[in-house]
């Protein structure tokens, strides 16, 4: 694979994806597996690395952190929490939740919650 794609992303730590509203200058919504093998899924806000954004650029960092609650208040690029659904996708339970739509519903709830907590903030 080209274009910096990882051929076996299940063997990588921190595999995930991110999304953002074009109006957001500093942060994006992201999810990430903290461990290899699609284990320990987290969800939250991450600085937009592609723009060279750093935590200190985000004027409302503390407000987002307070509203969304972070696991690590000293993290320089993440405001996150554990995924509210199945955090482990490398087993039968994780696959079943993906297939029956539970995981999609869990993502939908977390997206709505995250977007609600940043309304009106300069992110």
């Amino acid at each position: 694979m080209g274009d910096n794609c990882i051929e076996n992303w299940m063997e990588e730590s921190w595999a995930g994806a991110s999304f953002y509203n074009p109006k957001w200058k500093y942060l994006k919504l992201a999810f990430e597996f903290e461990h290899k093998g699609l284990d320990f899924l987290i969800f939250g806000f991450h600085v937009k690395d592609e723009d060279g954004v750093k935590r200190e650029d985000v004027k409302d960092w503390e407000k987002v952190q307070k509203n969304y609650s972070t696991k690590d208040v000293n993290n320089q690029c993440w405001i996150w929490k554990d995924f509210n659904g199945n955090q482990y996708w490398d087993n039968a339970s994780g696959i079943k939740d993906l297939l029956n739509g539970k995981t999609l519903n869990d993502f939908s709830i977390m997206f709505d919650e995250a977007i609600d907590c940043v309304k009106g903030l300069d992110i």
Side-chain angles (χ1 to χ4, degrees):
M1 297 181 125
D3 301 324
N4 295 322
C5 291
I6 298 168
E7 285 191 39
N8 191 356
W9 52 273
M10 283 187 60
E11 293 301 318
E12 294 291 320
S13 295
W14 310 299
S18 61
F19 312 89
Y20 68 93
N21 181 327
K23 295 177 185 175
W24 296 355
K25 297 177 273 185
Y26 309 111
L27 298 178
K28 58 187 175 182
L29 276 173
F31 66 92
E32 177 178 285
F33 292 96
E34 290 291 285
H35 303 140
K36 293 180 182 180
L38 307 180
D39 280 348
F40 193 59
L41 183 60
I42 63 171
F43 186 91
F45 295 92
H46 194 280
V47 295
K48 290 169 60 177
D49 297 332
E50 63 274 6
D51 295 334
V53 173
K54 298 179 181 143
R55 176 181 173 166
E56 53 268 17
D57 298 329
V58 186
K59 296 171 187 74
D60 284 337
W61 181 274
E62 286 79 18
K63 289 180 184 176
V64 176
Q65 196 172 44
K66 180 182 174 191
N67 291 345
Y68 196 71
S69 87
T70 182
K71 301 291 279 190
D72 180 0
V73 295
N74 295 317
N75 193 302
Q76 294 300 305
C77 58
W78 269 97
I79 297 171
W80 62 278
K81 57 173 79 173
D82 295 341
F83 184 66
N84 283 341
N86 195 327
Q87 296 179 351
Y88 304 94
W89 292 14
D90 64 343
N91 58 45
S93 176
I95 300 301
K96 180 180 175 185
D97 287 347
L98 284 166
L99 293 173
N100 69 20
K102 183 179 181 321
T103 299
L104 179 60
N105 187 58
D106 294 336
F107 265 108
S108 179
I109 291 167
M110 290 202 77
F111 271 107
D112 289 345
E113 176 188 76
I115 290 168
D116 284 347
C117 90
V118 296
K119 282 185 181 172
L121 299 180
D122 185 15
I123 65 162

